[in-house]
Amino acid sequence: MASERERYLAGREMTAVGKTADVVNRVAELRSILATGVARPARVDLRLLRKRAWIPPLDLGDLAEPRRAPTWREFEPAGQGALGRLFGRARHHRGLAAARAAFDEAVRRHDEEEAERVRRVAELRERHEEERKRVEKAAADHNRGLDEFGRKLARRDPEAVERHLGLVLAAVPLPSGFPRRAEAVFTPEAETAAVRVELPPRDVVPTARSFTYDPASDREVRVARSEREVAELYRSLVGQVVLLVARDLFDADEHLAAVRVEGRAGGASLLTLEVERAAFARVDLRRFPAEVCLRRLDASEA
């Protein structure tokens, strides 16, 4: 059986191993942004945005069934008939009157409670029906708006196209912690889109390579990543995001002839890619690293 000291050392070691695994996984995620993104279609299916009107069925709970009404048998004094007469007529009448009064009171309370139950059931049903109508109307209004959006998009209405491109940009698969701010401007005459994408700051790249535990000093040792590797990895993720955004725009909108994607961080432009569809199609994003693809497409770094 492990001693308390052994358990402590094992725990510190496992903590270091876990932190190292987190760093390794994060770096792998940052290096695979483009590969992960191009593996799926970027098209936005407007049919999937339609809403279906549904609300849960009304659950009345304990109010669903009427309460059982009291019966005279439950209140009738014991010993009616020949046996009751043995105890005297007066006593018999007093017991009968008390039982009748108790029965009448029980009936009265039951009738009041039942009337209140019926009232509450009616109120709940009315509310449920109102909610059903509200949900149906909201879904119908949403779907009509979506249908109109689809018609405008087919006509290449600039506002509709920009809205569509916004949906595409919002769906770009980016690692956790990356900003989701992007804006698109569509020029219908040339069928081009100009997009600005907000990129994360450089500190998104882990500056630690690994962690180890030194039992002699009882401290965690952080192994740093070189500045050169941090810079290379950050430059790579910037390029990957810009390329992926351009790819998704072309993939989602077959009418676009060219796109201009500008990646920015902290108000500064880091990378701009301006490319026509035909030229972009000649670059194999699955085969070559982002920096190679960007050179072939003449992207400009700030």
Side-chain angles (χ1 to χ4, degrees), residues 72-240:
W72 171 244
R73 179 172 297 178
E74 296 170 317
F75 293 84
E76 182 180 16
Q80 288 297 305
L83 183 61
R85 287 193 291 272
L86 295 176
F87 294 93
R89 186 176 299 275
R91 184 177 178 183
H92 165 68
H93 284 305
R94 285 195 302 271
L96 186 61
R100 175 61 65 181
F103 173 67
D104 291 343
E105 176 61 19
V107 170
R108 184 189 66 78
R109 287 198 307 268
H110 170 269
D111 291 346
E112 288 180 353
E113 291 173 358
E114 180 60 17
E116 175 63 14
R117 185 193 70 83
V118 171
R119 185 194 67 78
R120 291 180 62 190
V121 166
E123 180 180 1
L124 290 173
R125 284 176 174 162
E126 182 179 0
R127 290 179 183 176
H128 187 267
E129 180 64 14
E130 290 174 354
E131 178 65 8
R132 183 189 65 80
K133 291 179 179 178
R134 187 194 67 77
V135 170
E136 286 183 350
K137 182 180 184 304
D141 292 345
H142 170 84
N143 292 337
R144 278 195 297 270
L146 195 61
D147 291 340
E148 179 61 19
F149 169 48
R151 289 189 289 269
K152 288 182 177 180
L153 183 60
R155 298 196 301 266
R156 305 303 286 169
D157 175 81
E159 184 177 348
V161 173
E162 289 178 0
R163 178 184 171 189
H164 175 250
L165 296 179
L167 295 174
V168 175
L169 293 170
V172 175
L174 297 176
S176 60
F178 276 46
R180 302 297 314 192
R181 295 185 298 278
E183 55 185 29
V185 177
F186 173 64
T187 304
E189 296 79 12
E191 276 291 345
T192 61
V195 176
R196 280 186 174 183
V197 180
E198 187 68 22
L199 298 167
R202 180 167 167 162
D203 61 13
V204 74
V205 178
T207 56
R209 175 180 294 279
S210 63
F211 296 87
T212 60
Y213 173 64
D214 179 17
S217 61
D218 190 23
R219 66 184 184 90
E220 187 177 79
V221 179
R222 177 181 179 274
V223 180
R225 192 178 304 275
S226 70
E227 281 293 321
R228 180 177 179 179
E229 185 180 357
V230 171
E232 179 274 327
L233 183 51
Y234 185 65
R235 186 166 55 251
S236 172
L237 74 85
V238 168
Q240 290 181 77

Side-chain angles (χ1 to χ4, degrees), residues 19 41 63 133 206:
K19 292 176 71 172
L63 299 176
K133 291 179 179 178

Side-chain angles (χ1 to χ4, degrees), residues 156 161 165 186-194 246 249-251 253-260 274-281:
R156 305 303 286 169
V161 173
L165 296 179
F186 173 64
T187 304
E189 296 79 12
E191 276 291 345
T192 61
L249 294 174
F250 280 132
D251 188 58
D253 191 334
E254 62 183 7
H255 299 286
L256 285 179
V259 299
R260 182 181 188 275
E274 192 165 357
V275 62
E276 295 183 350
R277 178 183 290 273
F280 194 80

